[in-house]
Amino acid sequence: MKELYQKLGIQEKVYSYGQQFEEKLKDRFAELDKTAEYNQLKVIRAMQAHKVSAECFMGTTGYGYNDLGRDTLEEVYATCFHGEAALVRPQITCGTHALALALMSNLRPGDELLSPAGKPYDTLEEVIGIRPSKGSLAEYGVTYRQVDLLPGGAFDYEAIAGAITEKTKLVAIQRSKGYQTRPTFSVAQIGELISFVKKIKPSLICMVDNCYGEFVEQREPLEAGADMIVGSLIKNPGGGLAPIGGYIAGKKECIENAAYRLTSPGLGKEVGASLGVIQSFYQGLFFAPTVVAAALKSAIFAANIYESLGFPVIPDGSESRHDIIQAVTLNSPEALIAFCKGIQAAAPVDSHVTPEPWDMPGYGDKVIMAAGAFIQGSSIELSADGPLRPPYAAYFQGGLTWPHGKLGILMSLQKLYESGLVTLF
Ligand SMILES: *Cc1c(COP(=O)(O)O)cnc(C)c1O
């Protein structure tokens, strides 16, 4: 084994440094396998309940009327995530699109959107109009209000209560930390926040940005009172197989609004061919629980290694997990770049290329991204990225299998070690 790692470029010192942590983490890994088992059963049960059959994988073209595979998959998602309905489509191009769709279809001019958990994900700034952008909610007369988290990361309940007015229509809660160094919220915490705001105003629509959160816990936000959950199929629920797509699941009325916005008033869910990708949506959902467990093992392994070397990590090595993202604060651009180069060098695809910082559409700062993925940009596959701004945090996520995740982290450590950025004892 050691020899093969050496052939891949991992020095013995780096390998044995990693081994001690794998040994220590045995019990935690067993817990993750239990959650995966629970969620695997949940997915199979939903597929059985809706009689998924070989005909579902045929796909349609053109208008896509009576697409059995598409309609059945949407029922499977609804059941699996405890919603009344779902919209799961290759025509939803990414997570940002799914979120924009959920917001723009459920808000009307004069309404106000509230973010009670601080600044939303970078790409949503342009959707909302925090950074002026063509077609933003602001251009359509939807106003925005934000309540920042308290120092330490808790919800500022008093300020949230003060921010809810008669204009407030929709509350957007981001489960995952995204490109921030705040904690990720558990489903239970999100549930408390939802009960709080609904007590003040029962008609509020509570939307959870569920990106990176699916299948991490046994419960999903719809079970804790959310009206809509929204995510990307090239993250957790696509299981690494879906080549494109996004989903919205939740209350029937919210989903209908989204469907009429995605296609057209009058058409809604009735059109939208599933083309040749529908089988990968099913099979990806089937794999998702174990893929998420592999990604979590990789994240926890990384947290323990980098924490031991004195880098601030969020979550820390022993904390419980609510998403698959691991933030490692590397303190310098050199270390951030070396870390990303290691992840890239461990990939099955494009291991020979070197990632460079670039101006990525939708982001305010330069971003460096490492990914050698089968699906371009897929972040359920082993990947690391981070904006080139202090504190130079790398956001590390994914890993379709644990052995690949482990190799990636060891390779990142190798690059830092080679550049003299860390000392190993
Ligand atoms: C990835 C992500 C998004 C945006 O998804 P894209 O597919 O990159 O457009 C939004 N919110 C969170 C929390 C995310 O992690």
Side-chain angles (χ1 to χ4, degrees), residues 31-32 34-36 39 42 81 175 184-185 187 210-220 236 288-289 292-293 295-296 320-325 380:
E31 259 174 58
L32 297 174
K34 278 287 161 212
T35 302
N39 286 327
K42 193 159 78 178
F81 290 125
R175 180 173 175 183
T184 285
F185 305 121
V187 171
N210 209 27
C211 282
Y212 290 129
E214 298 91 350
F215 301 122
V216 172
E217 298 183 36
Q218 294 187 359
R219 280 191 338 143
E220 297 291 339
N236 305 15
V292 168
L296 286 167
S320 71
R321 299 272 155 168
H322 308 294
D323 70 4
I324 64 166
I325 301 187
I380 186 62

mmCIF file of all heavy atoms in Angstrom, residues 31-32 34-36 39 42 81 175 184-185 187 210-220 236 288-289 292-293 295-296 320-325 380:
data_model
loop_
_atom_site.group_PDB
_atom_site.id
_atom_site.type_symbol
_atom_site.label_atom_id
_atom_site.label_comp_id
_atom_site.label_asym_id
_atom_site.label_seq_id
_atom_site.Cartn_x
_atom_site.Cartn_y
_atom_site.Cartn_z
ATOM 1 N N GLU A 31 -20.392 5.518 12.592
ATOM 2 C CA GLU A 31 -21.633 6.299 12.757
ATOM 3 C C GLU A 31 -22.133 6.822 11.410
ATOM 4 O O GLU A 31 -23.328 6.809 11.136
ATOM 5 C CB GLU A 31 -21.336 7.534 13.617
ATOM 6 C CG GLU A 31 -21.734 7.445 15.057
ATOM 7 C CD GLU A 31 -21.222 8.687 15.790
ATOM 8 O OE1 GLU A 31 -21.586 9.812 15.402
ATOM 9 O OE2 GLU A 31 -20.425 8.508 16.738
ATOM 10 N N LEU A 32 -21.195 7.301 10.596
ATOM 11 C CA LEU A 32 -21.574 7.821 9.277
ATOM 12 C C LEU A 32 -22.178 6.708 8.423
ATOM 13 O O LEU A 32 -23.132 6.930 7.678
ATOM 14 C CB LEU A 32 -20.358 8.416 8.559
ATOM 15 C CG LEU A 32 -19.715 9.629 9.231
ATOM 16 C CD1 LEU A 32 -18.434 10.018 8.505
ATOM 17 C CD2 LEU A 32 -20.670 10.810 9.258
ATOM 18 N N LYS A 34 -23.902 4.288 9.491
ATOM 19 C CA LYS A 34 -25.275 4.057 9.990
ATOM 20 C C LYS A 34 -26.249 5.057 9.384
ATOM 21 O O LYS A 34 -27.365 4.693 9.008
ATOM 22 C CB LYS A 34 -25.309 4.183 11.526
ATOM 23 C CG LYS A 34 -24.867 2.928 12.240
ATOM 24 C CD LYS A 34 -25.940 1.829 12.146
ATOM 25 C CE LYS A 34 -25.352 0.464 12.426
ATOM 26 N NZ LYS A 34 -26.014 -0.620 11.690
ATOM 27 N N THR A 35 -25.843 6.324 9.326
ATOM 28 C CA THR A 35 -26.701 7.339 8.708
ATOM 29 C C THR A 35 -26.913 7.009 7.234
ATOM 30 O O THR A 35 -28.024 7.123 6.718
ATOM 31 C CB THR A 35 -26.077 8.748 8.854
ATOM 32 O OG1 THR A 35 -25.884 8.999 10.240
ATOM 33 C CG2 THR A 35 -26.956 9.827 8.258
ATOM 34 N N ALA A 36 -25.851 6.569 6.569
ATOM 35 C CA ALA A 36 -25.972 6.198 5.155
ATOM 36 C C ALA A 36 -26.956 5.035 4.996
ATOM 37 O O ALA A 36 -27.766 5.023 4.063
ATOM 38 C CB ALA A 36 -24.612 5.820 4.584
ATOM 39 N N ASN A 39 -30.502 6.406 5.349
ATOM 40 C CA ASN A 39 -30.912 7.189 4.178
ATOM 41 C C ASN A 39 -31.029 6.335 2.923
ATOM 42 O O ASN A 39 -31.864 6.591 2.065
ATOM 43 C CB ASN A 39 -29.953 8.361 3.968
ATOM 44 C CG ASN A 39 -30.187 9.459 4.996
ATOM 45 O OD1 ASN A 39 -31.316 9.684 5.427
ATOM 46 N ND2 ASN A 39 -29.123 10.131 5.400
ATOM 47 N N LYS A 42 -34.385 4.869 3.069
ATOM 48 C CA LYS A 42 -35.370 5.908 2.761
ATOM 49 C C LYS A 42 -35.519 6.074 1.239
ATOM 50 O O LYS A 42 -36.636 6.152 0.732
ATOM 51 C CB LYS A 42 -34.855 7.213 3.400
ATOM 52 C CG LYS A 42 -35.834 8.327 3.469
ATOM 53 C CD LYS A 42 -35.422 9.342 4.551
ATOM 54 C CE LYS A 42 -34.308 10.244 4.078
ATOM 55 N NZ LYS A 42 -33.937 11.252 5.093
ATOM 56 N N PHE A 81 -37.976 13.322 0.508
ATOM 57 C CA PHE A 81 -37.670 14.522 1.300
ATOM 58 C C PHE A 81 -38.869 15.026 2.106
ATOM 59 O O PHE A 81 -38.832 16.122 2.660
ATOM 60 C CB PHE A 81 -37.140 15.627 0.387
ATOM 61 C CG PHE A 81 -35.766 15.342 -0.160
ATOM 62 C CD1 PHE A 81 -35.520 15.344 -1.524
ATOM 63 C CD2 PHE A 81 -34.708 15.061 0.686
ATOM 64 C CE1 PHE A 81 -34.250 15.075 -2.032
ATOM 65 C CE2 PHE A 81 -33.430 14.791 0.192
ATOM 66 C CZ PHE A 81 -33.207 14.799 -1.160
ATOM 67 N N ARG A 175 -28.593 26.562 4.718
ATOM 68 C CA ARG A 175 -28.172 25.537 5.676
ATOM 69 C C ARG A 175 -26.651 25.471 5.799
ATOM 70 O O ARG A 175 -26.089 25.472 6.881
ATOM 71 C CB ARG A 175 -28.730 24.190 5.192
ATOM 72 C CG ARG A 175 -28.398 22.995 6.055
ATOM 73 C CD ARG A 175 -29.172 21.789 5.539
ATOM 74 N NE ARG A 175 -28.839 20.551 6.220
ATOM 75 C CZ ARG A 175 -29.363 19.367 5.892
ATOM 76 N NH1 ARG A 175 -30.244 19.285 4.911
ATOM 77 N NH2 ARG A 175 -29.021 18.280 6.553
ATOM 78 N N THR A 184 -22.352 25.679 10.076
ATOM 79 C CA THR A 184 -23.497 25.236 9.291
ATOM 80 C C THR A 184 -24.617 24.911 10.268
ATOM 81 O O THR A 184 -24.352 24.450 11.373
ATOM 82 C CB THR A 184 -23.089 24.000 8.474
ATOM 83 O OG1 THR A 184 -22.271 24.445 7.395
ATOM 84 C CG2 THR A 184 -24.278 23.266 7.900
ATOM 85 N N PHE A 185 -25.865 25.161 9.857
ATOM 86 C CA PHE A 185 -26.977 24.913 10.776
ATOM 87 C C PHE A 185 -27.463 23.477 10.664
ATOM 88 O O PHE A 185 -27.542 22.923 9.571
ATOM 89 C CB PHE A 185 -28.122 25.879 10.482
ATOM 90 C CG PHE A 185 -27.699 27.317 10.519
ATOM 91 C CD1 PHE A 185 -27.845 28.130 9.415
ATOM 92 C CD2 PHE A 185 -27.112 27.847 11.665
ATOM 93 C CE1 PHE A 185 -27.427 29.450 9.430
ATOM 94 C CE2 PHE A 185 -26.694 29.168 11.692
ATOM 95 C CZ PHE A 185 -26.848 29.969 10.574
ATOM 96 N N VAL A 187 -30.498 20.622 11.030
ATOM 97 C CA VAL A 187 -31.919 20.637 10.699
ATOM 98 C C VAL A 187 -32.723 21.072 11.929
ATOM 99 O O VAL A 187 -33.687 21.831 11.802
ATOM 100 C CB VAL A 187 -32.361 19.253 10.179
ATOM 101 C CG1 VAL A 187 -33.873 19.179 10.028
ATOM 102 C CG2 VAL A 187 -31.680 18.954 8.846
ATOM 103 N N ASN A 210 -30.679 24.103 0.489
ATOM 104 C CA ASN A 210 -30.251 22.811 1.049
ATOM 105 C C ASN A 210 -28.956 22.302 0.406
ATOM 106 O O ASN A 210 -28.549 21.161 0.652
ATOM 107 C CB ASN A 210 -31.382 21.792 0.826
ATOM 108 C CG ASN A 210 -31.424 20.696 1.872
ATOM 109 O OD1 ASN A 210 -30.992 20.891 3.006
ATOM 110 N ND2 ASN A 210 -31.948 19.536 1.497
ATOM 111 N N CYS A 211 -28.303 23.128 -0.399
ATOM 112 C CA CYS A 211 -27.070 22.729 -1.093
ATOM 113 C C CYS A 211 -26.058 22.149 -0.102
ATOM 114 O O CYS A 211 -25.766 22.781 0.915
ATOM 115 C CB CYS A 211 -26.438 23.925 -1.788
ATOM 116 S SG CYS A 211 -27.233 24.362 -3.334
ATOM 117 N N TYR A 212 -25.532 21.009 -0.410
ATOM 118 C CA TYR A 212 -24.521 20.295 0.383
ATOM 119 C C TYR A 212 -25.063 19.648 1.651
ATOM 120 O O TYR A 212 -24.298 19.036 2.401
ATOM 121 C CB TYR A 212 -23.346 21.211 0.775
ATOM 122 C CG TYR A 212 -22.460 21.620 -0.362
ATOM 123 C CD1 TYR A 212 -22.153 22.962 -0.566
ATOM 124 C CD2 TYR A 212 -21.910 20.676 -1.210
ATOM 125 C CE1 TYR A 212 -21.313 23.344 -1.608
ATOM 126 C CE2 TYR A 212 -21.075 21.065 -2.251
ATOM 127 C CZ TYR A 212 -20.782 22.400 -2.442
ATOM 128 O OH TYR A 212 -19.955 22.784 -3.454
ATOM 129 N N GLY A 213 -26.366 19.796 1.908
ATOM 130 C CA GLY A 213 -26.907 19.270 3.160
ATOM 131 C C GLY A 213 -27.603 17.921 3.025
ATOM 132 O O GLY A 213 -27.742 17.187 4.005
ATOM 133 N N GLU A 214 -28.032 17.581 1.818
ATOM 134 C CA GLU A 214 -28.869 16.388 1.642
ATOM 135 C C GLU A 214 -28.156 15.126 2.139
ATOM 136 O O GLU A 214 -26.997 14.890 1.810
ATOM 137 C CB GLU A 214 -29.237 16.205 0.166
ATOM 138 C CG GLU A 214 -30.051 17.347 -0.442
ATOM 139 C CD GLU A 214 -29.188 18.435 -1.076
ATOM 140 O OE1 GLU A 214 -27.944 18.422 -0.894
ATOM 141 O OE2 GLU A 214 -29.779 19.303 -1.746
ATOM 142 N N PHE A 215 -28.878 14.341 2.889
ATOM 143 C CA PHE A 215 -28.453 13.021 3.389
ATOM 144 C C PHE A 215 -27.323 13.065 4.421
ATOM 145 O O PHE A 215 -26.756 12.039 4.760
ATOM 146 C CB PHE A 215 -28.065 12.077 2.230
ATOM 147 C CG PHE A 215 -29.189 11.844 1.261
ATOM 148 C CD1 PHE A 215 -29.063 12.142 -0.094
ATOM 149 C CD2 PHE A 215 -30.394 11.308 1.714
ATOM 150 C CE1 PHE A 215 -30.114 11.921 -0.975
ATOM 151 C CE2 PHE A 215 -31.450 11.091 0.830
ATOM 152 C CZ PHE A 215 -31.307 11.397 -0.515
ATOM 153 N N VAL A 216 -26.997 14.257 4.908
ATOM 154 C CA VAL A 216 -25.981 14.329 5.953
ATOM 155 C C VAL A 216 -26.595 13.889 7.285
ATOM 156 O O VAL A 216 -25.953 13.215 8.084
ATOM 157 C CB VAL A 216 -25.396 15.754 6.065
ATOM 158 C CG1 VAL A 216 -24.484 15.866 7.273
ATOM 159 C CG2 VAL A 216 -24.637 16.095 4.784
ATOM 160 N N GLU A 217 -27.853 14.275 7.494
ATOM 161 C CA GLU A 217 -28.562 13.843 8.692
ATOM 162 C C GLU A 217 -29.670 12.879 8.258
ATOM 163 O O GLU A 217 -29.913 12.700 7.076
ATOM 164 C CB GLU A 217 -29.192 15.056 9.391
ATOM 165 C CG GLU A 217 -28.185 16.078 9.877
ATOM 166 C CD GLU A 217 -28.859 17.236 10.623
ATOM 167 O OE1 GLU A 217 -29.843 16.997 11.334
ATOM 168 O OE2 GLU A 217 -28.397 18.376 10.466
ATOM 169 N N GLN A 218 -30.373 12.340 9.235
ATOM 170 C CA GLN A 218 -31.479 11.457 8.889
ATOM 171 C C GLN A 218 -32.729 12.258 8.526
ATOM 172 O O GLN A 218 -33.617 11.755 7.857
ATOM 173 C CB GLN A 218 -31.773 10.499 10.047
ATOM 174 C CG GLN A 218 -30.603 9.537 10.270
ATOM 175 C CD GLN A 218 -30.893 8.458 11.289
ATOM 176 O OE1 GLN A 218 -31.973 8.405 11.881
ATOM 177 N NE2 GLN A 218 -29.931 7.589 11.516
ATOM 178 N N ARG A 219 -32.800 13.500 8.994
ATOM 179 C CA ARG A 219 -33.947 14.348 8.691
ATOM 180 C C ARG A 219 -33.545 15.468 7.740
ATOM 181 O O ARG A 219 -32.413 15.920 7.758
ATOM 182 C CB ARG A 219 -34.475 15.004 9.978
ATOM 183 C CG ARG A 219 -35.345 14.061 10.776
ATOM 184 C CD ARG A 219 -36.101 14.736 11.909
ATOM 185 N NE ARG A 219 -35.554 15.992 12.377
ATOM 186 C CZ ARG A 219 -36.311 17.028 12.769
ATOM 187 N NH1 ARG A 219 -37.618 16.953 12.722
ATOM 188 N NH2 ARG A 219 -35.750 18.123 13.221
ATOM 189 N N GLU A 220 -34.505 15.907 6.926
ATOM 190 C CA GLU A 220 -34.275 17.030 6.020
ATOM 191 C C GLU A 220 -35.164 18.204 6.467
ATOM 192 O O GLU A 220 -36.136 17.997 7.190
ATOM 193 C CB GLU A 220 -34.623 16.611 4.582
ATOM 194 C CG GLU A 220 -33.764 15.483 4.024
ATOM 195 C CD GLU A 220 -32.301 15.865 3.750
ATOM 196 O OE1 GLU A 220 -31.998 17.066 3.599
ATOM 197 O OE2 GLU A 220 -31.465 14.938 3.702
ATOM 198 N N ASN A 236 -24.906 16.816 -3.613
ATOM 199 C CA ASN A 236 -25.286 15.566 -2.938
ATOM 200 C C ASN A 236 -26.328 14.683 -3.633
ATOM 201 O O ASN A 236 -26.070 13.492 -3.809
ATOM 202 C CB ASN A 236 -25.779 15.840 -1.515
ATOM 203 C CG ASN A 236 -24.781 16.618 -0.678
ATOM 204 O OD1 ASN A 236 -23.847 17.182 -1.209
ATOM 205 N ND2 ASN A 236 -24.970 16.634 0.626
ATOM 206 N N ALA A 288 -26.614 8.386 -3.655
ATOM 207 C CA ALA A 288 -26.310 9.605 -2.891
ATOM 208 C C ALA A 288 -26.007 9.359 -1.405
ATOM 209 O O ALA A 288 -25.028 9.910 -0.888
ATOM 210 C CB ALA A 288 -27.433 10.626 -3.067
ATOM 211 N N PRO A 289 -26.784 8.542 -0.694
ATOM 212 C CA PRO A 289 -26.481 8.389 0.739
ATOM 213 C C PRO A 289 -25.071 7.868 1.029
ATOM 214 O O PRO A 289 -24.410 8.370 1.944
ATOM 215 C CB PRO A 289 -27.553 7.400 1.224
ATOM 216 C CG PRO A 289 -28.699 7.612 0.294
ATOM 217 C CD PRO A 289 -28.056 7.870 -1.052
ATOM 218 N N VAL A 292 -22.458 10.592 0.042
ATOM 219 C CA VAL A 292 -22.390 11.642 1.061
ATOM 220 C C VAL A 292 -21.571 11.148 2.263
ATOM 221 O O VAL A 292 -20.767 11.903 2.826
ATOM 222 C CB VAL A 292 -23.815 12.105 1.474
ATOM 223 C CG1 VAL A 292 -23.795 12.976 2.731
ATOM 224 C CG2 VAL A 292 -24.469 12.871 0.321
ATOM 225 N N ALA A 293 -21.731 9.889 2.627
ATOM 226 C CA ALA A 293 -20.932 9.347 3.737
ATOM 227 C C ALA A 293 -19.436 9.372 3.400
ATOM 228 O O ALA A 293 -18.604 9.712 4.257
ATOM 229 C CB ALA A 293 -21.385 7.926 4.076
ATOM 230 N N ALA A 295 -17.964 11.463 1.383
ATOM 231 C CA ALA A 295 -17.562 12.874 1.422
ATOM 232 C C ALA A 295 -17.375 13.338 2.868
ATOM 233 O O ALA A 295 -16.452 14.104 3.172
ATOM 234 C CB ALA A 295 -18.602 13.731 0.711
ATOM 235 N N LEU A 296 -18.243 12.872 3.755
ATOM 236 C CA LEU A 296 -18.130 13.266 5.171
ATOM 237 C C LEU A 296 -16.875 12.676 5.813
ATOM 238 O O LEU A 296 -16.202 13.343 6.593
ATOM 239 C CB LEU A 296 -19.377 12.820 5.941
ATOM 240 C CG LEU A 296 -20.631 13.656 5.668
ATOM 241 C CD1 LEU A 296 -21.872 12.949 6.213
ATOM 242 C CD2 LEU A 296 -20.510 15.047 6.272
ATOM 243 N N SER A 320 -20.077 17.655 15.347
ATOM 244 C CA SER A 320 -21.007 16.909 14.496
ATOM 245 C C SER A 320 -21.222 17.703 13.200
ATOM 246 O O SER A 320 -21.047 18.911 13.161
ATOM 247 C CB SER A 320 -22.321 16.651 15.212
ATOM 248 O OG SER A 320 -23.035 17.847 15.337
ATOM 249 N N ARG A 321 -21.614 16.982 12.155
ATOM 250 C CA ARG A 321 -21.636 17.538 10.800
ATOM 251 C C ARG A 321 -23.047 17.793 10.300
ATOM 252 O O ARG A 321 -23.923 16.965 10.509
ATOM 253 C CB ARG A 321 -20.974 16.539 9.840
ATOM 254 C CG ARG A 321 -19.537 16.257 10.177
ATOM 255 C CD ARG A 321 -18.638 17.240 9.503
ATOM 256 N NE ARG A 321 -17.384 17.373 10.238
ATOM 257 C CZ ARG A 321 -16.307 17.999 9.741
ATOM 258 N NH1 ARG A 321 -16.343 18.512 8.538
ATOM 259 N NH2 ARG A 321 -15.222 18.109 10.467
ATOM 260 N N HIS A 322 -23.221 18.916 9.604
ATOM 261 C CA HIS A 322 -24.525 19.216 9.015
ATOM 262 C C HIS A 322 -24.442 19.500 7.528
ATOM 263 O O HIS A 322 -25.443 19.772 6.880
ATOM 264 C CB HIS A 322 -25.176 20.372 9.772
ATOM 265 C CG HIS A 322 -25.197 20.125 11.245
ATOM 266 N ND1 HIS A 322 -25.939 19.100 11.813
ATOM 267 C CD2 HIS A 322 -24.514 20.699 12.264
ATOM 268 C CE1 HIS A 322 -25.731 19.084 13.112
ATOM 269 N NE2 HIS A 322 -24.874 20.037 13.424
ATOM 270 N N ASP A 323 -23.236 19.506 6.993
ATOM 271 C CA ASP A 323 -23.071 19.573 5.533
ATOM 272 C C ASP A 323 -21.727 18.916 5.210
ATOM 273 O O ASP A 323 -21.007 18.489 6.122
ATOM 274 C CB ASP A 323 -23.142 21.015 5.010
ATOM 275 C CG ASP A 323 -21.949 21.876 5.400
ATOM 276 O OD1 ASP A 323 -21.006 21.359 6.019
ATOM 277 O OD2 ASP A 323 -21.948 23.071 5.073
ATOM 278 N N ILE A 324 -21.402 18.822 3.918
ATOM 279 C CA ILE A 324 -20.175 18.094 3.548
ATOM 280 C C ILE A 324 -18.971 19.017 3.377
ATOM 281 O O ILE A 324 -17.896 18.573 3.002
ATOM 282 C CB ILE A 324 -20.372 17.260 2.260
ATOM 283 C CG1 ILE A 324 -20.659 18.160 1.043
ATOM 284 C CG2 ILE A 324 -21.486 16.232 2.434
ATOM 285 C CD1 ILE A 324 -20.530 17.425 -0.292
ATOM 286 N N ILE A 325 -19.167 20.323 3.628
ATOM 287 C CA ILE A 325 -18.069 21.271 3.386
ATOM 288 C C ILE A 325 -17.123 21.334 4.569
ATOM 289 O O ILE A 325 -17.543 21.373 5.727
ATOM 290 C CB ILE A 325 -18.592 22.686 3.112
ATOM 291 C CG1 ILE A 325 -19.515 22.663 1.898
ATOM 292 C CG2 ILE A 325 -17.439 23.661 2.869
ATOM 293 C CD1 ILE A 325 -19.956 24.007 1.445
ATOM 294 N N ILE A 380 -19.738 17.360 -5.693
ATOM 295 C CA ILE A 380 -19.876 16.160 -4.868
ATOM 296 C C ILE A 380 -18.665 15.261 -5.172
ATOM 297 O O ILE A 380 -18.289 14.402 -4.392
ATOM 298 C CB ILE A 380 -21.207 15.419 -5.104
ATOM 299 C CG1 ILE A 380 -21.389 14.257 -4.131
ATOM 300 C CG2 ILE A 380 -21.348 14.926 -6.537
ATOM 301 C CD1 ILE A 380 -21.456 14.640 -2.691
#
